[in-house]
Amino acid sequence: MTKLRAGLIGTGTIAHSAHLPAMQYLGHDIELIAVADIRAEAAQAAVKKYGAETWYSDYRELLNRDDIDFVDICTPEFLHCEQVVAAAEAGKHILCEKPMAATVDEADRMIAAAKANDVMLMIGHSRRFTDRYRNAWQAVAEGRIGNVQIVRENERRPVAMYSALDLATGYWSPDGDRPWISDPEYTEGAALTNAVHEMDLARWFAGADALSVQAESRIAGECVEVADFLTYTITFKNGVIGGAEIVNNLPSGYPYFHMLEVYGDQGSVRADDPDQSPYAVWSQGGMQFPVNFDQLLHIDNAYIREIGWFVRAIQIGAPPPLDPWDARQALALSLAAVESSKTGRTVFLSEMEPSSE
Amino acid sequence: MSNQPALTIAGDNDLSTNAARHAIAAVPDDPVYLWRSIADPVVSKAPVVVLADVAERAGFAQAALDAGIPAVSLPIKDPDVDLKQAIADGRLRLMSRLHGLPTLARLQQDAMNGTVGRRYGVFASHRIPVNFADELDDVVDDLVTYCCSLIDAPLSRVSVTTSDLGTSETAGWFILARFADETIATIEVAAVLPEADEPAGELLIEVTGSDAVLRAAPEQQGVLIRGAEGVSRSNWYAEPSDFLLQRATQLRDLETNTTSLSAMKLMQKRFEAATANQAVEV
């Protein structure tokens, strides 16, 4: 197979913790040509550690290169639409981090741009690429638990989730004072940071689109200005009920973990991070999980598979392993949950369609 | 030795009988009166603990209150105006059968003594076998009452989704409840497990907060046997009456009845919210 030449836009937390290491692992299929980040030091750190040829502080310069086959966009969601459309118009195939965009309208424009320019677009819902969820889904698809009735997922994140990763760089602060991920001007918080994963999995396991959602959210942690706690109940069109409680900003000693339970009329599937990390240290300060984040079963080698399968699809001219429409629907669900939590209303997904706005 | 009972236990079932037996054993000098029938008069002014079956609880509670005796009861279905008023002014207090599980009794104490720091939320799920679906309402009310005791704050908003889960009747309740102190409770009860001989099912309670997370799975109190004939388990829950009577004493000592009031409102509002399919402000 021909090696594909890649450019990566946004060298922040998820790039350094997941995408760049995965690309390095996939070196037989991928050659990292260039990276771009508005923060020169972040881009330079990526070049130094992962061996890119060069770096740019303006992503458009990267897109202007003729020797790049695909771009991996690892920026915040509010930049995705602009950057994906630009990449599509530059003729690059696109892998873009979740959540797909900040609005459903933006997601539709991204899909339209990819189609108009005949490039592949895939959104990186990484959990679809883990052994854990693929095995669970396979059991469901084979009918081993009968008809699905309930999909329950809970996710917990400690305050210091990324502290053990020794990242070269962290979250970008657009206004210079606080990271975008905790700034209400730039994000809706847990609904898009975490819940879009759970929304996508719930929809996948339910095997249907959602009809409506009820949600509650709050700001739980200190010094936080976006909702870091979200709980919701989804009613799917086929009657399946989905639910998740997502709690961030838990004590530092608490592990990062995800729980999935799927109940059918003939059985159930349960997948937990083991109680709750493969490596735990007990000390005076309590229990710590030094390798929790990158060793968890619900992550395993997801990014290697996600990027590897995306590249393989380009190489052989196959459709993307994950249709961007799925990511668009997960985004719509997350935004519906935000609306419900703010208003107290049951929000129907039909309300989230751009034509009804 | 006193001639008057120190405690009256109302009800004519295994739970009330065991509670009376244990109470007598624990405090031999304090007689306990087992009030088996509403038709019988209340024999003393001793506090009443109603452990009767659900259909009889309102009657026992009302009779006690009519005699001027405060009562603690397991959840009461459809309380009338008088009973609601008694809960509002603290003469009638509510507890859950789940307070009888030692794990959950301990969790409730820890939740109330500040272990979790700033409390974020409560997650509670109880899955029961499909052949016990007719007990679903009672299971919901017990879980609701227990969850409110972990929060002890006024209820402010309730959203509810119900589902028949492929059957002909409601088999699942999915409740989101917001409290005045911003705690959010997620309460899920579903008759979704395979048929079984006992209704206990799978129960998980979590309380999240800034300083700690409390997690209890009482079904882990059992002996699990994986053998040639498959998997079987026998639970070894401790006798619940001791912990229930302790909880009743705790409730009587509380200055306010916020917990019981929120539980009563949540038990009622869940139906209104389910019918409306919209959040109901309290």
Side-chain angles (χ1 to χ4, degrees):
Chain A
M1 289 286 179
T2 309
K3 242 184 184 183
L4 295 188
R5 291 152 300 177
L8 184 140
I9 301 172
T11 55
T13 301
I14 196 64
H16 275 277
S17 64
H19 287 251
L20 287 166
M23 280 193 184
Q24 191 172 48
Y25 182 89
L26 294 165
H28 53 287
D29 273 329
I30 299 171
E31 182 181 0
L32 182 62
I33 300 294
V35 299
D37 198 299
I38 198 167
R39 302 165 299 174
E41 73 282 5
Q44 287 167 345
V47 167
K48 186 178 177 184
K49 187 166 184 182
Y50 294 100
E53 188 179 295
T54 190
W55 61 274
Y56 303 98
S57 55
D58 185 338
Y59 75 90
R60 284 165 290 215
E61 291 184 63
L62 183 151
L63 293 179
N64 283 339
R65 291 183 65 129
D66 293 331
D67 59 348
I68 288 178
D69 299 308
F70 80 93
V71 291
D72 185 357
I73 296 177
C74 296
T75 53
E77 63 264 19
F78 64 90
L79 295 173
H80 287 176
C81 183
E82 171 197 315
Q83 293 174 342
V84 165
V85 170
E89 290 173 347
K92 315 299 186 196
H93 298 295
I94 306 148
L95 173 63
C96 179
E97 250 300 314
K98 47 58 62 177
M100 186 172 187
T103 68
V104 176
D105 180 57
E106 288 180 355
D108 287 342
R109 283 158 47 200
M110 291 159 66
I111 292 172
K115 189 173 181 182
N117 291 284
D118 197 24
V119 297
M120 183 181 294
L121 170 63
M122 188 175 97
I123 309 302
H125 277 282
S126 53
R127 292 184 193 174
R128 290 240 196 174
F129 297 91
T130 61
D131 279 328
R132 166 166 150 168
Y133 298 126
R134 297 185 70 79
N135 290 346
W137 187 85
Q138 189 67 29
V140 172
E142 290 171 355
R144 293 170 62 184
I145 64 167
N147 297 313
V148 174
Q149 296 171 325
I150 296 174
V151 182
R152 159 59 57 183
E153 304 163 86
N154 287 349
E155 177 161 333
R156 309 280 186 255
R157 292 189 179 190
V159 170
M161 190 177 94
Y162 294 100
S163 63
L165 293 178
D166 191 24
L167 298 178
T169 184
Y171 291 110
W172 174 45
S173 299
D175 302 327
D177 56 349
R178 56 187 167 179
W180 67 269
I181 202 164
S182 56
D183 188 336
E185 191 173 335
Y186 295 102
T187 183
E188 295 287 357
L192 294 185
T193 307
N194 325 37
V196 75
H197 278 305
E198 278 76 39
M199 298 291 190
D200 178 56
L201 289 180
R203 186 173 164 272
W204 190 31
F205 280 91
D209 269 319
L211 178 67
S212 63
V213 62
Q214 297 175 335
E216 289 282 2
S217 69
R218 62 172 293 192
I219 295 172
E222 288 182 320
C223 306
V224 180
E225 294 182 52
V226 296
D228 53 358
F229 181 111
L230 176 74
T231 183
Y232 59 81
T233 307
I234 305 168
T235 301
F236 286 94
K237 288 180 178 176
N238 60 358
V240 173
I241 303 294
E245 187 203 54
I246 292 142
V247 191
N248 299 335
N249 284 315
L250 288 171
S252 294
Y254 197 73
Y256 172 34
F257 88 107
H258 183 254
M259 172 264 272
L260 169 73
E261 295 173 332
V262 186
Y263 286 88
D265 57 9
Q266 294 172 38
S268 62
V269 173
R270 183 182 176 107
D272 268 349
D273 288 311
D275 205 24
Q276 287 167 14
S277 168
Y279 177 49
V281 176
W282 294 82
S283 65
Q284 295 285 358
M287 195 175 188
Q288 302 293 325
F289 302 88
V291 296
N292 181 255
F293 178 70
D294 54 354
Q295 297 295 317
L296 284 175
L297 289 181
H298 80 267
I299 294 176
D300 61 47
N301 57 1
Y303 290 94
I304 292 170
R305 202 172 282 147
E306 171 190 306
I307 297 171
W309 290 6
F310 170 78
V311 164
R312 186 53 47 92
I314 296 172
Q315 288 171 327
I316 66 176
L322 184 56
D323 193 311
W325 183 258
D326 289 312
R328 187 256 197 208
Q329 296 301 81
L331 172 67
L333 253 173
S334 283
L335 294 172
V338 170
E339 177 69 10
S340 177
S341 67
K342 287 180 177 175
T343 63
R345 289 192 305 113
T346 298
V347 174
F348 288 83
L349 270 291
S350 55
E351 299 175 44
M352 305 311 294
E353 292 303 313
S355 58
S356 68
E357 287 174 350
Chain B
M1 180 188 292
S2 165
N3 292 322
Q4 290 297 314
L7 182 68
T8 297
I9 295 174
D12 187 12
N13 55 24
D14 289 346
L15 184 61
S16 59
T17 305
N18 285 336
R21 188 179 301 131
H22 278 255
I24 291 166
V27 192
D29 289 344
D30 284 340
V32 173
Y33 172 57
L34 182 57
W35 183 15
R36 291 183 183 277
S37 169
I38 301 169
D40 296 337
V42 188
V43 299
S44 80
K45 292 291 184 184
V48 171
V49 178
V50 181
L51 300 180
D53 293 340
V54 65
E56 295 186 307
R57 290 174 196 163
F60 276 116
Q62 188 62 62
L65 295 169
D66 288 346
I69 305 168
V72 175
S73 175
L74 294 173
I76 294 175
K77 193 175 292 298
D78 300 328
D80 62 15
V81 174
D82 288 346
L83 290 179
K84 287 179 186 173
Q85 183 57 46
I87 293 171
D89 63 31
R91 287 175 293 134
L92 175 60
R93 302 183 177 219
L94 302 176
M95 63 180 179
S96 162
R97 280 184 294 190
L98 297 178
H99 287 108
L101 296 174
T103 312
L104 297 187
R106 173 59 188 267
L107 185 143
Q108 196 271 331
Q109 288 174 12
D110 286 345
M112 284 294 98
N113 69 15
T115 303
V116 299
R118 277 178 298 105
R119 188 174 48 243
Y120 297 167
V122 170
F123 174 78
S125 67
H126 198 165
R127 279 68 179 264
I128 62 173
V130 291
N131 52 316
F132 286 93
D134 58 348
E135 296 184 15
L136 198 69
D137 269 339
D138 296 343
V139 175
V140 174
D141 286 347
D142 270 316
L143 194 56
V144 159
T145 302
Y146 179 77
C147 287
C148 287
S149 79
L150 302 175
I151 298 167
D152 197 30
L155 180 68
S156 56
R157 189 161 80 181
V158 184
S159 300
V160 172
T161 299
T162 58
S163 171
D164 60 15
L165 300 179
T167 66
S168 57
E169 296 184 346
T170 299
W173 284 81
F174 305 85
I175 300 170
L176 308 179
R178 192 178 194 100
F179 291 78
D181 68 350
E182 293 295 301
T183 300
I184 297 172
T186 305
I187 301 170
E188 179 177 308
V189 177
V192 74
L193 298 180
E195 288 194 11
D197 294 335
E198 60 172 35
E202 299 173 357
L203 179 59
L204 174 65
I205 311 274
E206 287 180 305
V207 184
T208 52
S210 59
D211 296 347
V213 176
L214 310 179
R215 179 185 174 97
E219 78 268 20
Q220 290 179 1
Q221 285 180 294
V223 177
L224 184 69
I225 302 165
R226 297 181 195 277
E229 297 177 355
V231 179
S232 66
R233 67 176 302 123
S234 58
N235 293 325
W236 50 271
Y237 296 147
E239 165 58 38
S241 57
D242 287 351
F243 293 94
L244 283 173
L245 294 180
Q246 286 176 24
R247 176 62 184 163
T249 302
Q250 284 175 357
L251 277 169
R252 281 197 302 270
D253 291 343
L254 291 176
E255 289 184 10
T256 66
N257 201 26
T258 307
T259 289
S260 301
L261 199 54
S262 289
M264 179 190 74
K265 289 180 177 177
L266 188 44
M267 284 188 277
Q268 291 182 303
K269 293 293 181 183
R270 71 179 170 103
F271 292 101
E272 187 180 332
T275 302
N277 193 27
Q278 292 293 345
V280 172
E281 302 289 338
V282 178

